[in-house]
């Protein structure tokens, strides 16, 4: 190999080595591409808006004229469930109804909607009948309340005025016909024909029913420690009962008598609410029909109950 060829071969080898080095360098260099994915989570918040309860007295109408005696009140409550859970824990949107006659509905927050006196009742019903309502102008108030008898917040009350008039007395006049028997005189020659005389008259008949006074009886009943001192009371039928009711507790109690344990209105007797400690005297007539009746404290109807036996 001559000198020229040797130089050429050396050049080829050098170029080859450089090319190989360049190829190796290219392979050793890596490019890393990172892809970042962003995920967006959409959060939906649902807001529930409580609709306020409403109350309407559907009958009687405000200003209505009604006959004396029984007055039935009907109501409609919206966005409010009328339930029989008196004395239990309050639950929003449910409770019962207080009806008042000639007394304004109490609305002090946190205090039972119970008047110190007056005619009122509390029932889990949209109707109630006041009995023995005398002639005159009367007010009727109705209030939706919580299970513990406290007013709603804000209070929901409706009030109307009615005019109670005396019942109409009907007098019946009866015509009475009096017939005089025929008188006949006979002889051999003369005969007197019969004579009939009809005399109209007006007779007014009045029937009066008198209920004899019942046997007087006195009962002493104490409410203490959320319980009655008597679980059973026995009286003669139709007895005139005088009850010395002693509320020895610091909370309100009363005595109310019902036909049975359902305590469906109207009550046979419903004593006024007594804010204790205090004593009142109740007077009422025992049922005329013998049987077993039911009494309770209207403020604590599930805790304070008993049997009222009529013999």
């Amino acid at each position: 190999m001559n000198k020229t060829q040797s130089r050429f071969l050396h050049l080829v080898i050098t170029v080859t080595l450089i090319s190989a080095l360049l190829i190796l360098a290219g392979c050793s260099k890596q490019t890393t591409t990172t892809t970042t994915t962003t995920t967006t989570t959409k959060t939906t918040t649902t807001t529930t808006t409580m609709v306020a309860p409403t109350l309407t007295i559907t009958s009687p109408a405000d200003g209505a004229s009604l006959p004396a005696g029984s007055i039935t009140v009907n109501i409609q409550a919206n966005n409010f469930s009328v339930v029989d859970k008196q004395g239990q824990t309050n639950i929003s949107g449910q409770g019962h109804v207080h009806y008042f006659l000639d007394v304004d509905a109490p609305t002090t927050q946190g205090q039972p909607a119970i008047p110190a006196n007056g005619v009122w009742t509390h029932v889990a019903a949209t109707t109630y009948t006041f009995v023995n309502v005398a002639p005159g102008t009367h007010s009727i108030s109705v209030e939706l309340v919580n299970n513990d008898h406290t007013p709603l917040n804000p209070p929901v009350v409706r009030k109307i005025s009615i005019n109670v008039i005396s019942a109409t007395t009907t007098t019946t006049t009866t015509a009475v016909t009096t017939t005089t028997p025929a008188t006949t005189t006979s002889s051999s020659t003369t005969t007197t024909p019969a004579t009939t005389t009809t005399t109209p008259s007006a007779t007014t008949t009045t029937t009066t029913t008198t209920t004899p006074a019942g046997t007087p009886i006195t009962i002493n009943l104490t409410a203490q420690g959320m319980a009655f001192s008597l679980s059973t009371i026995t009286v003669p039928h139709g007895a005139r009962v005088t009850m010395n009711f002693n509320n020895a507790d610091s909370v309100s109690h009363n005595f109310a008598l019902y036909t049975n344990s359902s305590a469906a209105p109207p009550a046979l007797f419903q004593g006024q609410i007594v804010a204790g400690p205090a004593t009142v005297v109740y007077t009422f007539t025992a049922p005329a029909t013998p049987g077993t009746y039911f009494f309770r404290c209207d403020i604590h109807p599930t805790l304070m109950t008993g049997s009222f036996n009529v013999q």
Side-chain angles (χ1 to χ4, degrees):
M1 179 181 296
N2 57 33
K3 187 175 182 179
T4 301
Q5 291 174 334
S6 177
R7 287 179 178 177
F8 178 76
L9 180 59
H10 180 72
L11 179 60
V12 170
I13 293 171
T14 302
V15 171
T16 301
L17 289 173
I18 292 173
S19 298
L21 291 173
L22 291 174
I23 291 172
L24 291 174
C27 291
S28 63
K29 184 178 181 182
Q30 297 180 355
T31 303
T32 303
T33 303
T34 303
T35 302
T36 303
T37 302
T38 303
T39 302
T40 302
T41 302
K42 184 178 181 181
T43 302
T44 302
T45 302
T46 302
T47 302
T48 302
T49 302
M50 295 298 293
V51 181
T54 61
L55 173 64
T56 303
I57 299 178
T58 56
S59 67
D62 189 20
S65 293
L66 303 169
S70 297
I71 304 295
T72 299
V73 183
N74 296 292
I75 68 164
Q76 179 176 331
N78 296 317
N79 308 316
F80 185 82
S81 298
V82 178
V83 296
D84 191 7
K85 295 184 179 180
Q86 299 177 48
Q88 300 183 28
T89 302
N90 291 343
I91 298 177
S92 179
Q94 67 174 225
H96 57 279
V97 189
H98 284 195
Y99 295 83
F100 306 89
L101 179 66
D102 296 328
V103 59
D104 290 334
T107 57
T108 303
Q109 290 298 310
Q111 298 294 321
I114 298 173
N117 48 50
V119 179
W120 75 284
T121 191
H122 56 94
V123 294
T126 56
T127 184
Y128 181 76
T129 300
F130 291 102
V131 297
N132 300 323
V133 182
T137 300
H138 299 272
S139 67
I140 295 175
S141 297
V142 183
E143 181 174 11
L144 302 181
V145 298
N146 294 306
N147 292 336
D148 66 354
H149 303 282
T150 58
L152 303 184
N153 189 10
V156 179
V157 179
R158 292 295 178 269
K159 182 178 180 179
I160 63 172
S161 177
I162 59 173
N163 181 34
V164 177
I165 58 179
S166 299
T168 302
T169 301
T170 302
T171 301
T172 303
T173 302
T174 305
V176 178
T177 302
T178 303
T179 303
T180 303
T183 301
T184 304
T185 303
S186 300
S187 67
S188 58
T189 57
T190 306
T191 300
T192 303
T195 302
T196 301
T197 303
T198 301
T199 305
S201 63
T203 302
T204 302
T205 303
T206 302
T207 302
T208 303
T209 301
T210 302
T211 302
T215 303
I217 186 169
T218 300
I219 298 171
N220 297 315
L221 183 65
T222 298
Q224 186 172 24
M226 302 297 286
F228 286 125
S229 58
L230 300 175
S231 60
T232 302
I233 298 173
T234 302
V235 301
H237 69 278
R240 186 61 180 166
V241 180
T242 298
M243 176 177 288
N244 299 315
F245 182 72
N246 175 28
N247 179 7
D249 285 336
S250 59
V251 297
S252 296
H253 294 304
N254 80 326
F255 169 89
L257 180 63
Y258 296 89
T259 302
N260 53 49
S261 59
S262 68
L268 300 177
F269 171 77
Q270 190 169 49
Q272 72 180 69
I273 302 297
V274 181
T279 300
V280 297
V281 177
Y282 296 138
T283 57
F284 61 94
T285 301
T289 303
T292 300
Y293 297 81
F294 174 78
F295 71 87
R296 74 177 188 182
C297 167
D298 283 331
I299 310 303
H300 308 96
T302 61
L303 298 176
M304 303 175 65
T305 62
S307 297
F308 193 89
N309 296 330
V310 176
Q311 298 179 338

